[in-house]
């Protein structure tokens, strides 16, 4: 079993425990899960190239100001399947919450 698979299992278990505990304690979980989802989306959008390009532009702003307008985000550093696996728990939480809310 790879380290990535173990990481996903730990992430899913911790997220499930957090969601169950928050539901039992009657916490407003929608706000927390929405913040987690936004942070994860922002983390999935950027890549190593975007961070290095940003550092390149901030180190020498006078020489790069006339070259490239802005660094583009690199989507190739995090594959689509990995991004989907990372974003799946918060999305499933909102889907399940909406279905349960409609049934009540």
């Amino acid at each position: 079993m790879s380290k990535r698979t173990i990481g996903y299992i730990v992430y899913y278990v911790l997220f499930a425990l957090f969601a169950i505990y928050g539901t039992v304690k009657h916490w407003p979980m929608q706000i927390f899960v929405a913040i987690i989802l936004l942070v994860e989306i922002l983390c999935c959008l950027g890549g190593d190239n975007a961070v290095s390009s940003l550092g390149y532009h901030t180190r020498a702003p006078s020489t790069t100001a006339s070259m490239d307008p802005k660094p583009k985000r690199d989507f190739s550093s995090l594959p689509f399947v990995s991004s989907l696996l990372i974003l799946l728990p918060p999305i499933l939480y909102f889907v399940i919450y909406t279905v349960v809310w409609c049934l009540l």
Side-chain angles (χ1 to χ4, degrees):
M1 192 177 281
S2 70
K3 290 181 182 179
R4 180 177 285 188
T5 306
I6 294 170
Y8 283 129
I9 291 171
V10 169
Y11 168 63
Y12 276 62
V13 168
L14 288 176
F15 191 90
L17 291 175
F18 177 73
I20 292 169
Y21 184 75
T23 304
V24 169
K25 292 291 186 177
H26 301 290
W27 291 346
M29 293 293 294
Q30 296 77 26
I31 297 169
F32 294 125
V33 175
I35 291 170
I36 290 170
L37 182 63
L38 289 176
V39 168
E40 288 176 352
I41 287 173
L42 291 175
C43 291
C44 288
L45 287 178
D48 295 333
N49 190 21
V51 174
S52 63
S53 296
L54 182 62
Y56 174 74
H57 283 285
T58 55
R59 279 193 294 269
S62 61
T63 59
T64 60
S66 62
M67 290 179 158
D68 292 330
K70 287 185 178 179
K72 294 182 180 178
R73 291 203 181 264
D74 182 23
F75 293 104
S76 64
S77 66
L78 193 61
F80 177 73
V81 175
S82 296
S83 298
L84 185 65
L85 288 174
I86 292 171
L87 296 173
L88 193 60
I91 292 171
L92 281 177
Y93 176 82
F94 281 121
V95 169
I96 292 170
Y97 177 79
T98 304
V99 168
V100 170
W101 186 258
C102 289
L103 292 176
L104 292 178

